[in-house]
Amino acid sequence: MYIYIHIPFCSHICSYCDFPKLLYDKKYINSYLECLKQEIKKRYKEEQVASIYIGGGTPTSLDRNELKHLLDITTIFHKKKKIEFTIESNVESLTKEKIQLLHTYGVNRVSLGVQSFHENTLKELNRHHTKEEVFQVIKNLKQTGISNISIDYIYGVHPNLKEVKEDLETYLQLEIPHISCYSLIIEEGTIFGIKKRKYIDEAIDDKMYHTIEKILKKNHYIHYEISNYAKEGYQSIHNINYWKNGEYYGFGLGTVSFINNTRITNTKSLTKYLENQYHLTKEYENRNIQISNTFMLGLRLVKGINIIEFKKRYQQDIKEITPVKELLKQKKLVLKNNQLFIPSKYLYLSNEIIIKFI
């Protein structure tokens, strides 16, 4: 089983992110954590856990005692001996003391919100760290014994290919095994949305995408999902399970679970959550919805969908599905070695392909 825990609190709101976040407020933290604990005790069926992923918000924006409270809650789970235990963090909140605490509780993977190494871009994104601080945090993590480190990187803030190349050159100096690269998305209600920020030209964005791919592949990173690159053995098993439309628990405000073919969505209202009214919707997904979701998620993986596993799961030949037949003819899908996938030259346009399966 796979576990996602949402900590919605953060020290600042990003310019570009529309996901509901709450600014750090001590009066809510412990109440939220106690409700989180009660939700887990009520819903968790004591399955063996292969992955725990604590996201946000910024979980490490909690002070040391609050973070310990959170990590104590994770001891409820029956963890497999070989577990991937990830926490998201920003640079400025990850002190040496907190890193040691994470290590003590078995956290062995950190996803760091770096976004850029350029001062002006960081300022626009409302990030408050420097390149030097990134290097120091990475050094502190490695010295503590946490070497499975990923960073989030955002490109396309400016139409500047030179900046992207410089950012990747800096990233490679960090010698860490994973990077997630996202093109800037401007959402309504965010600072960029309110200011009517314009996207860069699509041709430049496409050039950036393929430049990133070329540089990282040259440096022995495996492009295993549209936005994700990893050294061999460091692909995120938590995220791969999600892209394969596998089962997982989501605990906390606004999370989603997928258990026994049922999609459970938690409330986004903090007031209701603190009254232990966790669930907003609960919907059984029939076979057609499951197949649609398997395509929409699975085709994000560079290897795509295993057709033998697909037939075993849905008792259907994937090659007989109408959009698959059409896209194979157009060569926008490829079938090779029992894998159905989007060829690399079309990965940048994957949304136009995946939408055919909705």
Side-chain angles (χ1 to χ4, degrees), residues 43 257 259-266 279-285:
R43 296 180 54 214
S257 303
I259 308 287
N260 295 328
N261 300 327
T262 301
R263 194 79 55 180
I264 303 163
T265 305
N266 274 12
H279 294 164
L280 180 65
T281 61
K282 189 174 182 179
E283 183 178 356
Y284 177 80
E285 295 189 349

Side-chain angles (χ1 to χ4, degrees), residues 33-43 276 278:
L33 292 175
E34 278 303 308
C35 289
L36 177 68
K37 183 178 181 179
Q38 293 310 311
E39 184 195 1
I40 291 170
K41 283 187 170 182
K42 183 177 179 180
R43 296 180 54 214
N276 296 321
Y278 312 122

